[in-house]
Amino acid sequence: MSAPFAFLHLTDPHLTPEGAEPLYGLDPGARLALAVADIARRHGPQGAAPASFAVVTGDLTHNAEPEAYARLRAILAGMPCPAHLLLGNHDERDVFRAAFPNAPVDARGFVQQAVDTPAGRCLMLDTKAPGTHAGRLCKDRLDWLAARLAEDQGPVLLFLHHPPYRVGIAGMDQIPLLDAEALWEVLAPHRARIRHLFHGHLHRPLSGSWRGIPTSSLRGTSHQVALDFAELPAVPGSHEPPAYALVRATAEDIVVHTHDFMDASGTFDL
Ligand SMILES: [Fe+2]
């Protein structure tokens, strides 16, 4: 059996500028800094489970100010591994690219990249669309995905902010990935080698599958979406604990460990 390849999944940090008013009563930067410190302790090179990189699946900032991206950059400097950043509906591509000029982009300037790993080729997609909180994958972005899928026939892990399915929480189901059918047309010929789809956007721990592709998401590192299936006029928020995930992948399996990094309940020997 091959040794696990480990990486981290974080999502929806919703950073605000240093010194900004609290967001829903908390400081998203302070929360992310706690996550990074916990990661440095547990998943750095000397930790019990070193991670090769982190993927942050979007909503990097809440209002996309340059100062919020600068704060993100400063906090992520404490990461013990590289962080691959995806855009969410709260982000602005141009502002992000100005703050992270070395972030990989595709030929059209979308924040998309392929990262080859022992667990498979990680394809990271840009679902940001101007003027809406829903997600889009236009023909240019899907052409990039099709080309990346065509040039390598190995296993694939997908990452994107918006999920391609509805989850039953009314306010979130109004702003999913709107181009799910077009995405499926690109993915379907490769279905057998797509191992997992990691997404953000929902600020909730959940897992399942989409047309046979295993999926997972998790709580954001800041505020959360409440588990409420009523037809509410707004997205229901909550202050459930924030989390990040450690993903361990071998050739045979993928295990996603969700970790509530602010939990202080203690441990003991069973
Ligand atoms: Fe979000």
Side-chain angles (χ1 to χ4, degrees):
M1 184 175 295
S2 58
F5 174 76
F7 64 92
L8 299 152
H9 182 193
L10 291 77
T11 198
D12 292 84
H14 282 254
L15 279 209
T16 54
E18 182 89 44
E21 289 294 307
L23 178 66
Y24 310 124
L26 57 80
D27 177 2
R31 287 266 173 113
L32 183 62
L34 287 173
V36 169
D38 195 77
I39 287 166
R41 185 166 58 84
R42 292 171 176 269
H43 304 301
Q46 313 305 324
S52 292
F53 57 72
V55 185
V56 188
T57 50
D59 283 352
L60 304 172
T61 64
H62 192 65
N63 285 321
E65 306 95 334
E67 297 80 7
Y69 287 110
R71 194 175 184 204
L72 175 67
R73 196 176 57 233
I75 294 169
L76 290 180
M79 274 285 209
C81 57
H84 301 304
L85 307 180
L86 279 64
L87 299 186
N89 43 292
H90 281 264
D91 291 304
E92 292 293 343
R93 191 173 297 109
D94 291 348
V95 186
F96 167 79
R97 290 190 60 189
F100 291 86
N102 296 323
V105 295
D106 68 15
R108 303 273 184 173
F110 292 108
V111 183
Q112 306 200 120
Q113 63 171 317
V115 178
D116 290 312
T117 78
R121 170 166 260 206
C122 295
L123 297 177
M124 303 179 189
L125 303 177
D126 179 342
T127 58
K128 166 67 183 178
T132 175
H133 283 296
R136 304 306 306 244
L137 283 171
C138 59
K139 185 175 185 304
D140 286 338
R141 282 173 271 189
L142 290 171
D143 285 350
W144 177 92
L145 174 61
R148 300 292 80 73
L149 288 167
E151 68 191 7
D152 185 293
Q153 295 306 307
V156 169
L157 307 179
L158 289 174
F159 298 83
L160 72 173
H161 181 71
H162 294 83
Y165 44 44
R166 268 69 166 177
V167 301
I169 299 173
M172 298 305 291
D173 282 352
Q174 292 169 7
I175 51 171
L177 176 66
L178 296 178
D179 298 309
E181 281 301 327
L183 172 62
W184 179 248
E185 281 183 27
V186 173
L187 296 179
H190 307 276
R191 163 66 194 90
R193 61 192 181 92
I194 299 172
R195 302 189 67 193
H196 200 94
L197 184 154
F198 298 87
H199 67 84
H201 193 47
L202 292 168
H203 297 233
R204 290 215 54 79
L206 56 86
S207 58
S209 64
W210 178 57
R211 303 185 184 192
I213 299 173
T215 65
S216 63
S217 192
L218 70 164
R219 294 192 205 101
T221 60
S222 185
H223 56 282
Q224 315 306 337
V225 171
L227 188 63
D228 192 331
F229 297 105
E231 287 287 335
L232 301 171
V235 174
S238 87
H239 282 310
E240 293 162 82
Y244 67 79
L246 179 78
V247 183
R248 287 161 55 94
T250 70
E252 296 83 25
D253 45 56
I254 292 175
V255 176
V256 182
H257 292 278
T258 302
H259 175 53
D260 295 348
F261 58 86
M262 289 181 67
D263 178 76
S265 57
T267 61
F268 51 88
D269 294 333
L270 293 177

